[in-house]
Amino acid sequence: MKPSETALYGVIIPDEVACEVLNVSEDILRRAKDAGQIETIEVGSRRKILGVPFRRKLGLPERAPQHESVAA
């Protein structure tokens, strides 16, 4: 998995990753957060994107795909 894909499966999604996945600017992401279109939680003075609700909106699995080990 690429680093951005790994970050997509965290409890909190970094804004940069959300922008990349959604293909939007930081301004548009902020507007979506302000409008309640993306679920967030307040941490201090910042609003962080919650991972599970974000992945659900995108139709992604809630947990990171697990690679099966190949028996030799």
Side-chain angles (χ1 to χ4, degrees), residues 1 5 9 61-68:
M1 238 188 252
E5 291 172 339
Y9 282 96
E62 290 182 14
R63 295 181 183 190
Q66 299 296 316
H67 297 285
E68 294 181 24

Side-chain angles (χ1 to χ4, degrees), residues 1 6 20 23 40 42-43 46 49 52 61:
M1 238 188 252
T6 301
E20 180 183 332
N23 195 30
T40 60
E42 288 188 33
V43 179
R46 296 184 170 233
I49 300 170
V52 171

Side-chain angles (χ1 to χ4, degrees), residues 13-67:
I13 307 296
D15 285 358
E16 304 81 41
V17 173
C19 287
E20 180 183 332
V21 169
L22 297 172
N23 195 30
V24 298
S25 67
E26 289 182 21
D27 185 53
I28 291 173
L29 179 68
R30 182 186 47 77
R31 289 181 195 183
K33 289 164 64 173
D34 290 345
Q37 295 172 326
I38 296 175
E39 275 192 62
T40 60
I41 186 169
E42 288 188 33
V43 179
S45 63
R46 296 184 170 233
R47 291 193 11 238
K48 301 291 187 173
I49 300 170
L50 294 170
V52 171
F54 185 76
R55 290 188 292 275
R56 282 184 189 148
K57 279 192 180 288
L58 296 177
L60 296 171
E62 290 182 14
R63 295 181 183 190
Q66 299 296 316
H67 297 285

